[in-house]
Amino acid sequence: MHDTPDIADRHDAVCVIGAGASGLVTVKNLREQGFSVDCYERETSVGGAWNWRHDRSPVYASTHLVTSRPLTELPDFPMPDDWPDYPHHTQLLAYLERYAEHFGLRDSIWFGTEVVAVTPVGDGRWDVTTRGTGGGAERVQRYAAVVVANGHNWSPKPLSVDTSAFRGRVMHAAAYKDPAQLRGRKVLVVGGGNTGCDIAVEAAQQATTVWHSTRRGYWYAPKYVFGRPADQVHDKLLEQRVPLRLRQWLYHLAVRLTVGDVTRFGLPAPDHRPYESHPVVNSQLVYYVGHGRITPVPDVVRLEGATAEFADGRRVEPDLVITATGYLPRFEFLAPDLLDIDEDGKPDLHLHAFARRHPTLAVVGLVQADAGLLPLAHWQSVAVARWLRLRLTDPDRAVAVQQRESTRPLRSWTRLRVVPSSRHWFEVSHTNYLRALEDLLKQMEPA
Amino acid sequence: MKLELVRFKDWTDPVPSVRREVLSALPHPDDGQPPLLFVPGLGHGAWAFREHWLGHVASRGFAAYALSPREQGSLRAYAHDVVQVAAGLPRQAVLVGHGVGALVVAHALARYPARAAVLAAPVLHGRAALGAALRTNPLGTLPAFFGGGLRLSRRQLFAGDPPGADAYVERLTRAPSAVYRSLLTAPGPADPVGAPPALVVGSPDDRIVTRKALDRAAARFGGAPLLFPGMGHDLMLEPGWQEPIDAILDWLVKELAG
Ligand SMILES: Cc1cc2nc3c(=O)[nH]c(=O)nc-3n(C[C@H](O)[C@H](O)[C@H](O)COP(=O)(O)OP(=O)(O)OC[C@H]3O[C@@H](n4cnc5c(N)ncnc54)[C@H](O)[C@@H]3O)c2cc1C
Ligand SMILES: NC(=O)c1ccc[n+]([C@@H]2O[C@H](COP(=O)([O-])OP(=O)(O)OC[C@H]3O[C@@H](n4cnc5c(N)ncnc54)[C@H](OP(=O)(O)O)[C@@H]3O)[C@@H](O)[C@H]2O)c1
């Protein structure tokens, strides 16, 4: 392959897309493995989702973590130990900024630069087209590998009902920033994930009337059980190797002893067992339902004129509808077949990270777990960096590793028993997932 | 290599936060060199580095910090404190551990990718050091076996009879028995993360760390030990304190350039 003059060849350098948490750990860990790295970030600063000044940030003023600090911090750069169990989003941003500063990562990041196309050149290398977000000409550079860390919590999932004939305001939770937006309104919140529950609680404190619509019942976990952050208690059980069935039973018991039967408040009963959907951690939702400040309602079937109609025929008249339906992954700069993306938009990646047919293409951060994302993204990026290194230093071993990986059973690293919903495409158990990565890393250890 | 991705202990039983004593000396101007974090061994505190080394390091253009061990600590808590302080510094830090502080640093290295590491007169294997201590200072060491405190003597720490040595020995605190029991029984450190360059320094005349122990530490962490004959264990308090710290900084400058 000969160079066209307008393509700058970056030789062995690796391109990283995004400087959110996942991009930052990837830059650091690639550099630790000796790679030169060019990271492109469309915003003018680091932090991704946690930088709520970013136009695509899904974070709202009151966001606190749902995962506790020890289960959220990076394994080689802890958060300050005097921070609370559940830090505020501004602390997460400060943490990521300090990480970037500490490891001098900004030298490798091109801010205000969007990646608009990534195309394979045929020999495992990639042409990456970038454009300044402030305008200017496009630039093409050639890289030995590309690691995508563009996040999957920014492209809103559309509501299934037509909203065009509705007179009130409809907005996705991504656009919700401040409780002032709720003050004095009649608010309908759609969606029972962590976002929907947080906003419903906030509306209970600010709005005149609040309806909370969910299309199924959920297990609402409190932030603390037995005086400890709930995820830490759960991990104690995992440490003792308590089997899933017994953990589900204990979960039931804990809920029965504390919250009790939520159906007496009008909340639907869960249609699945505990641990079969992404954990919703919110101590206040049931509290406000119990105080009559939040009225649970079923799925929305129609939004027309002034009315919202629900599956049970009930009708109410909200003036603001917030759809907290979650997000879909989006890779506008990649042809779908490169990540084996199916017609629904779901990529099929080995360990949710490695492109199956392109050994020099990987995605970091495309997972969701029963614990914080950062540790998983860290180890994913370590595995990607070591993999790329092994391909250079010992190609034969790399082939052997790839062959062995192709036999790794799916159920060993991803959750298969979950409620079928696009929100669970990348759902993993953090311990099983980390064990799979650990095994991969051991195979790649220098001889 | 020992990898540990699933860390139940860290996740479910985090080390409690304490106020930490950190002394520092900062260079003017600061032209962006990595900071050095000094970690003292048993009985010593950050003060032991403030005597000479911190100021000297700053005069050579590096920010210098020293951390005192927490009261009622354990190896795990000490390593935790080192990682906490290191991660709180503006840039990737160089960890310098002295004596048992080197063991603490070795454990911290598995949890924090240091820019470089220096193990000075390192006590990495508690048993060997205890044996040596029994030979030189049986009266101070024996009570340790019966739950008493470990008392270090001047003869163990200094080569000759330098002026001021008695005052230093006066300042030593007795390490509670639970602490060195945790040091003795702890499993060896996992491999460092981020593959930092490492240097072992010591003295053949150290009455706590034998020459063999130095060679062993160097074989594991960094080639051959750099030796300063004639000096005792407390390199940073000996009259000849400048020679080892200059050698450490010269090595560091070379590593940073390479
Ligand atoms: C409300 C909310 C609360 C959350 N709470 C928790 C929690 O408690 N614990 C937890 O672990 N996780 C939580 N998460 C998940 C959170 O998304 C992750 O913690 C983390 O921020 C994901 O980081 P990331 O780098 O993968 O993605 P992002 O933070 O989204 O970063 C992606 C970056 O890529 C950039 N980018 C995208 N496309 C391009 C392109 N084409 N060119 C250049 N740059 C591009 C973006 O600008 C962005 O900076 C929460 C998410 C939400 C929405
Ligand atoms: N405080 C925090 O730290 C915090 C806050 C918010 C979010 N987060 C994290 O951010 C991620 C995204 O969370 P999220 O709550 O925004 O999204 P989510 O977890 O995907 O939840 C979306 C919710 O909307 C429902 N829904 C989706 N499409 C719908 C439709 N067409 N009609 C009706 N209902 C629909 C889903 O129902 P089904 O279950 O039936 O699919 C689900 O209840 C998660 O990882 C979450 O943990 C964390």
Side-chain angles (χ1 to χ4, degrees):
Chain A
M1 189 139 309
H2 63 92
D3 270 341
T4 23
D6 51 347
I7 297 178
D9 195 328
R10 295 287 287 115
H11 303 282
D12 290 335
V14 179
C15 170
V16 175
I17 304 172
S22 301
L24 292 174
V25 296
T26 305
V27 174
K28 173 198 157 271
N29 289 320
L30 280 167
R31 292 208 323 201
E32 222 166 79
Q33 286 294 314
F35 288 101
S36 315
V37 182
D38 288 346
C39 172
Y40 297 105
E41 168 54 59
R42 55 189 291 284
E43 299 281 355
T44 53
S45 47
V46 301
W50 293 109
N51 200 325
W52 74 321
R53 286 179 290 272
H54 289 175
D55 55 6
R56 285 178 177 176
S57 169
V59 158
Y60 30 89
S62 65
T63 309
H64 281 261
L65 290 184
V66 279
T67 50
S68 74
R69 178 168 47 76
L71 280 143
T72 308
E73 66 194 5
L74 292 166
D76 62 353
F77 190 77
M79 292 184 195
D81 61 6
D82 57 354
W83 277 12
D85 290 336
Y86 295 102
H88 188 240
H89 70 84
T90 49
Q91 290 177 301
L92 250 283
L93 176 59
Y95 175 61
L96 294 175
E97 283 171 341
R98 269 206 309 109
Y99 180 81
E101 195 60 39
H102 195 84
F103 295 105
L105 303 181
R106 287 191 177 90
D107 300 347
S108 299
I109 306 174
W110 304 83
F111 290 104
T113 310
E114 184 165 18
V115 171
V116 292
V118 174
T119 47
V121 202
D123 54 353
R125 315 191 70 221
W126 302 86
D127 279 353
V128 176
T129 310
T130 55
R131 188 171 53 206
T133 41
E138 289 188 352
R139 232 180 127 192
V140 184
Q141 289 169 96
R142 186 159 293 173
Y143 289 93
V146 172
V147 186
V148 180
N150 66 334
H152 60 104
N153 279 327
W154 55 269
S155 178
K157 202 182 288 183
L159 195 63
S160 333
V161 296
D162 178 21
T163 60
S164 56
F166 181 64
R167 278 208 304 271
R169 176 148 186 236
V170 182
M171 67 180 207
H172 190 268
Y176 171 74
K177 291 280 136 182
D178 195 282
Q181 291 167 277
L182 307 168
R183 216 156 283 154
R185 323 277 305 251
K186 292 183 287 175
V187 183
L188 167 63
V189 181
V190 182
N194 282 308
T195 305
C197 293
D198 275 359
I199 298 177
V201 163
E202 215 140 88
Q205 296 158 349
Q206 305 289 340
T208 53
T209 315
V210 189
W211 299 277
H212 186 206
S213 159
T214 58
R215 55 184 183 184
R216 69 182 81 246
Y218 296 98
W219 297 95
Y220 299 109
K223 281 200 152 167
Y224 289 91
V225 278
F226 310 122
R228 302 286 309 159
D231 53 0
Q232 297 182 20
V233 174
H234 179 226
D235 270 42
K236 269 270 179 246
L237 298 178
L238 290 175
E239 184 179 19
Q240 308 300 322
R241 300 192 171 273
V242 176
L244 177 64
R245 278 300 151 98
L246 185 52
R247 277 186 284 132
Q248 288 172 328
W249 183 82
L250 286 169
Y251 194 111
H252 257 251
L253 184 71
V255 168
R256 215 171 46 233
L257 291 176
T258 51
V259 192
D261 177 12
V262 293
T263 59
R264 71 194 174 91
F265 301 130
L267 282 165
D271 60 352
H272 51 278
R273 296 167 192 277
Y275 306 117
E276 287 179 358
S277 65
H278 180 63
V280 177
V281 189
N282 194 310
S283 302
Q284 291 171 285
L285 185 87
V286 176
Y287 174 90
Y288 281 112
V289 172
H291 285 61
R293 288 291 298 137
I294 296 174
T295 307
V297 289
D299 203 12
V300 185
V301 291
R302 199 146 40 137
L303 280 171
E304 220 176 86
T307 332
E309 187 180 329
F310 302 107
D312 61 355
R314 242 187 293 175
R315 289 155 161 253
V316 300
E317 297 197 347
D319 46 33
L320 173 64
V321 178
I322 299 184
T323 60
T325 46
Y327 302 86
L328 286 170
R330 230 169 88 192
F331 305 92
E332 328 90 305
F333 44 81
L334 279 173
D337 65 303
L338 295 170
L339 299 179
D340 292 301
I341 293 178
D342 68 12
E343 59 279 11
D344 296 328
K346 176 189 181 182
D348 176 25
L349 302 169
H350 179 59
L351 297 173
H352 295 305
F354 294 91
R356 293 191 184 273
R357 288 171 295 133
H358 297 273
T360 52
L361 176 65
V363 181
V364 167
L366 191 58
V367 275
Q368 191 170 265
D370 44 357
L373 176 87
L374 275 59
L376 303 193
H378 168 89
W379 290 114
Q380 283 182 322
S381 69
V382 172
V384 168
R386 293 236 188 116
W387 163 249
L388 294 175
R389 179 53 62 213
L390 187 70
R391 285 188 77 245
L392 297 178
T393 54
D394 193 346
D396 292 343
R397 256 215 16 249
V399 170
V401 168
Q402 195 168 16
Q403 270 163 5
R404 219 194 115 193
E405 280 302 301
S406 67
T407 65
R408 189 186 289 285
L410 213 58
R411 69 186 141 70
S412 68
W413 52 270
T414 194
R415 278 224 148 113
L416 298 178
R417 285 190 61 104
V418 282
V419 172
S421 162
S422 56
R423 71 190 285 230
H424 294 140
W425 281 351
F426 318 109
E427 193 72 21
V428 299
S429 136
H430 69 296
T431 46
N432 288 346
Y433 187 77
L434 287 176
R435 286 192 185 107
L437 276 183
E438 182 170 303
D439 185 60
L440 168 60
L441 284 168
K442 284 191 171 141
Q443 290 176 60
M444 296 194 292
E445 256 161 35
Chain B
M1 189 185 326
K2 210 175 121 232
L3 263 173
E4 197 193 355
L5 274 62
V6 177
R7 300 179 177 175
F8 286 122
K9 184 82 179 154
D10 292 358
W11 296 338
T12 65
D13 185 16
V15 174
S17 172
V18 291
R19 279 186 62 140
R20 290 175 277 261
E21 182 192 47
V22 178
L23 304 179
S24 63
L26 303 178
H28 297 287
D30 185 337
D31 52 9
Q33 298 288 357
L36 278 73
L37 174 58
F38 292 92
V39 180
L42 283 186
H44 296 69
W47 60 265
F49 295 102
R50 183 164 58 187
E51 285 296 301
H52 310 291
W53 279 15
L54 291 190
H56 187 70
V57 168
S59 76
R60 286 196 53 179
F62 293 84
Y65 300 83
L67 164 69
S68 292
R70 64 166 75 193
E71 281 169 33
Q72 308 301 328
S74 64
L75 180 55
R76 178 172 178 243
Y78 293 152
H80 165 90
D81 287 339
V82 171
V83 174
Q84 280 286 321
V85 173
L89 297 175
R91 280 181 296 276
Q92 219 175 341
V94 178
L95 303 185
V96 187
H98 175 259
V100 171
L103 177 64
V104 175
V105 163
H107 281 268
L109 290 175
R111 285 286 191 271
Y112 168 78
R115 184 65 187 80
V118 179
L119 309 181
V123 177
L124 298 183
H125 299 274
R127 272 167 216 290
L130 204 58
L134 271 176
R135 282 191 297 279
T136 359
N137 177 20
L139 285 182
T141 311
L142 263 177
F145 288 92
F146 307 101
L150 181 75
R151 205 175 56 224
L152 296 162
S153 72
R154 197 195 66 213
R155 227 173 84 71
Q156 280 174 295
L157 302 179
F158 297 93
D161 189 4
D166 284 332
Y168 291 142
V169 173
E170 279 294 296
R171 295 191 68 167
L172 297 178
T173 50
R174 268 187 200 214
S177 64
V179 168
Y180 48 85
R181 230 176 302 129
S182 90
L183 297 173
L184 279 177
T185 54
D191 280 350
V193 289
L199 173 72
V200 174
V201 301
S203 163
D205 303 308
D206 185 330
R207 294 200 191 93
I208 290 178
V209 182
T210 62
R211 178 63 210 268
K212 223 172 91 198
L214 279 179
D215 287 338
R216 260 213 295 184
R220 164 136 200 219
F221 286 95
L226 209 52
L227 295 177
F228 298 90
M231 297 187 80
H233 181 70
D234 273 2
L235 300 165
M236 64 286 187
L237 295 173
E238 284 267 1
W241 60 265
Q242 190 175 337
E243 206 190 334
I245 189 63
D246 272 333
I248 289 170
L249 292 172
D250 292 344
W251 170 82
L252 183 61
V253 167
K254 218 157 52 206
E255 283 298 330
L256 294 174

